[in-house]
Amino acid sequence: MTDLIQFVVAGLAQGGAYALIAIGFVSIFTVSGVINLAQGEFAALAGLTGVSAIGAGLPLPIALAVAIVVVVAVSVATERLAIRPVKKMTTLTSIILTLGVSTVIKAAMLLIWGPQGHTMPAFTAGDLNLGGVSIRGQELWILATCALVGGAVWWFYERTLLGKALRACAEQPVAARLVGISPKNATMLAFVVAGVTGAVAGVVTSPVYSSAWDYGLTLGLKGFVAATLGGLLSIRGAIAGGLLLGVLENLVAGYVATGLRDAVAFVVLIVLLLARPGGLAKHAEARV
């Protein structure tokens, strides 16, 4: 039982990272129908930028702020240079474009930071032991950040006038234009939200999982699977999907084989697309 609880706790922490990435996918897709495959690279870039900022002598809070600002700037540049110039954007086109952006960001990170991984210092030192179950302090930070950021983004899109205006651009683009809502500006704001969530995911997970130039590929794909579990339109579904995926991975790694950990996400994606393409979350307009 102790081992089971340990696997579940570790899985929830890892799933919190997937959930933060998934929120970024949902934030953009909800507004523009764009699937941003560079979302994982935003997290990797934030972690590496934070490491460099701390190495330059900046205190941890300022280093985190610098990392978030840099990633948001890259996210906005992605929207301006790769997404906005396309006259008729389709989901397939967005996948191809953002895949190219992802490759460029990976190449830049490899040139700047090299192939080795880098780790930020933990936000708090020490572990918490409860009945033989060890919980790292940084894992608590990941879970708390996931809850805070996820709740804030959900509240923004569901409870604020601006958030509803952004969603209207995807649901009724012509009507949104008629009432003065700019789809282009809405898409840019959605990329800002996705940049913040991706950057936060990168900095809070770096002390545990390290950051490297190729770290974003795996994290981005698993975040996409988590978002798909929620139908790509539900913030709460994305968070639940990320936590579920993290727990499943750790249970498979603990009880079956460690080498099968990364295969879990893709098996889940295949089964989901075959059995319930709209995702697990109940949503009247869920689409993959």
Side-chain angles (χ1 to χ4, degrees):
M1 182 58 69
T2 301
D3 290 341
L4 175 61
I5 297 175
Q6 183 71 68
F7 292 145
V8 171
V9 170
L12 288 174
Q14 193 166 355
Y18 300 158
L20 288 170
I21 298 298
I23 291 171
F25 277 106
V26 173
S27 298
I28 294 177
F29 188 81
T30 300
V31 175
S32 62
V34 171
I35 294 180
N36 178 29
L37 291 187
Q39 191 66 32
E41 272 59 54
F42 291 168
L45 179 61
L48 292 172
T49 302
V51 169
S52 296
I54 292 175
L58 295 178
L60 181 60
I62 298 179
L64 299 182
V66 169
I68 293 175
V69 169
V70 169
V71 171
V72 169
V74 172
S75 181
V76 171
T78 299
E79 190 276 333
R80 286 295 185 94
L81 300 178
I83 302 300
R84 182 170 296 198
V86 179
K87 298 298 182 181
K88 186 176 181 180
M89 179 62 66
T90 64
T91 301
L92 179 59
T93 303
S94 69
I95 291 175
I96 295 173
L97 289 174
T98 56
L99 181 61
V101 173
S102 170
T103 303
V104 171
I105 296 175
K106 282 203 292 281
M109 290 189 293
L110 179 60
L111 290 174
I112 296 172
W113 286 282
Q116 68 277 6
H118 301 272
T119 303
M120 292 180 62
F123 296 178
T124 54
D127 298 339
L128 179 65
N129 291 290
L130 297 174
V133 177
S134 178
I135 306 174
R136 287 179 287 188
Q138 193 64 32
E139 291 178 336
L140 295 176
W141 274 99
I142 295 174
L143 290 173
T145 302
C146 176
L148 180 62
V149 173
V153 175
W154 175 85
W155 177 82
F156 172 72
Y157 277 109
E158 299 291 336
R159 292 292 183 263
T160 67
L161 183 61
L162 179 58
K164 293 178 181 179
L166 297 186
R167 291 170 54 204
C169 292
E171 297 177 5
Q172 295 291 339
V174 176
R177 290 190 183 96
L178 290 176
V179 297
I181 302 173
S182 171
K184 291 183 178 181
N185 292 338
T187 301
M188 184 183 69
L189 185 55
F191 268 85
V192 170
V193 175
V196 171
T197 58
V200 170
V203 295
V204 297
T205 58
S206 180
V208 178
Y209 304 112
S210 185
S211 299
W213 71 277
D214 58 348
Y215 170 67
L217 175 62
T218 302
L219 187 60
L221 289 175
K222 293 181 179 181
F224 175 70
V225 172
T228 304
L229 285 171
L232 275 173
L233 288 174
S234 171
I235 298 295
R236 290 178 293 184
I239 295 174
L243 297 177
L244 176 62
L245 181 59
V247 171
L248 286 176
E249 283 189 352
N250 276 268
L251 291 177
V252 169
Y255 289 112
V256 182
T258 305
L260 295 178
R261 178 195 299 271
D262 291 334
V264 172
F266 303 104
V267 172
V268 169
L269 179 61
I270 293 172
V271 172
L272 181 67
L273 292 176
L274 292 175
R276 193 179 177 91
L280 299 179
K282 293 182 179 179
H283 197 289
E285 299 178 12
R287 52 201 170 103
V288 177

